[in-house]
Every structure is written in structure tokens, then in C-alpha cells.
Amino acid sequence: MAIERTFSMIKPDATKRNLTGAITKVFEESGLRVVASKRVWMSKREAEGFYAVHKERPFFGELVESMTAGPTIVQVLEGEGAILKNREIMGATNPAQAAEGTIRKQFALSIGENSVHGSDAPETAAQEIAYWFAETEIVG
């Protein structure tokens, strides 16, 4: 498997509970490196733009509201098969269905407050990384 980069986000429900370090530690102990990271408080416009793919879904308004409710950590992770590895580390969206040891099993409060987001494909990773980071901010 090749070294690749993926986008990762620690959501407001987790930053409010001071879980930034604990979640990042899980990524790092699983073999992923943080090559870019910053704390942002999304504006409504930023959240709507980032989640535009979900604009027509019934949960869009609630999603935007929850993502603008507090600070978020946006990150670029790098490693062997980083996209798939990140998805495995995060676990199922529904924490009740997430495997033991995954971030969502350990830290998520609900399907809506599931603590983390990660890219699902190389194209998505490239778009999401570019949304939050200039190339010069990624120092791997």
C-alpha cells in the first residue's frame, strides 16, 4: 500500500469535552502522522460549503448548526493507506455499531455527535484538504 494523505476532523462535540489529544493519540498510535493541524471555529458559510454535498439531505441544517457550535480541529493525516486506515480507526458512524477500540465507540455521544470525520476516497481527501489548508501548511 502507498503512503497517502487524508483529511480528518475532530468535531465540536469532542473538542468541548477536551478530547483533542486523546483522539489524536489514537491516530498516531495506529501509525498515522499529523502533517497539518489547526483549530478553527467554522462560520455558517464555511460549514455550508464544506458539507455542500449534503445540502439536499434533511439533516443538513442540523449538521451545519452542530459544526458551528464550537471549535473544530482540522487535520491532514499521512501514512500507509491513510484513507482506509483512518476510516477503520474512526469506526462506524453509529457508535452503537462501531467496533471496540474505535474512536466512535470510545468517544462518540450519538450518530449526530460522532466526534470525528474522515475522507472516504482519494478525491474527497484532496478536496477536503484543499478546503482547509494551503499546500505550504502541510509539512510532512
Side-chain angles (χ1 to χ4, degrees):
M1 223 175 249
I3 298 292
E4 62 186 8
R5 289 180 174 165
T6 191
F7 178 77
S8 173
M9 180 188 301
I10 302 174
K11 296 180 178 182
D13 70 272
T15 62
K16 284 179 188 173
R17 292 178 288 139
N18 205 29
L19 295 173
T20 301
I23 291 171
T24 299
K25 183 178 178 183
V26 174
F27 290 130
E28 291 177 334
E29 288 180 344
S30 299
L32 296 173
R33 289 182 61 222
V34 177
V35 295
S37 181
K38 58 185 165 183
R39 188 176 187 93
V40 299
W41 196 314
M42 280 188 216
S43 68
K44 182 178 180 187
R45 192 171 123 231
E46 286 171 327
E48 288 173 342
F50 186 77
Y51 287 106
V53 67
H54 299 301
K55 190 167 181 76
E56 301 305 318
R57 312 272 301 265
F59 60 82
F60 182 73
E62 185 179 325
L63 176 61
V64 169
E65 187 175 318
S66 71
M67 294 308 297
T68 59
T72 299
I73 307 300
V74 292
Q75 299 179 318
V76 180
L77 305 177
E78 182 178 81
E80 284 270 332
I83 296 167
L84 181 57
K85 184 177 273 191
N86 182 34
R87 308 257 333 143
E88 290 171 358
I89 294 165
M90 288 189 308
T93 303
N94 182 344
Q97 297 172 347
E100 288 299 325
T102 62
I103 290 170
R104 288 179 173 145
K105 188 66 165 187
Q106 292 178 69
F107 302 117
L109 299 173
S110 65
I111 293 174
E113 292 181 307
N114 60 21
S115 301
V116 289
H117 163 86
S119 301
D120 61 359
E123 303 77 25
T124 311
Q127 291 169 349
E128 292 179 339
I129 290 168
Y131 193 87
W132 294 107
F133 294 96
E135 208 38 57
T136 56
E137 294 178 295
I138 304 169
V139 289

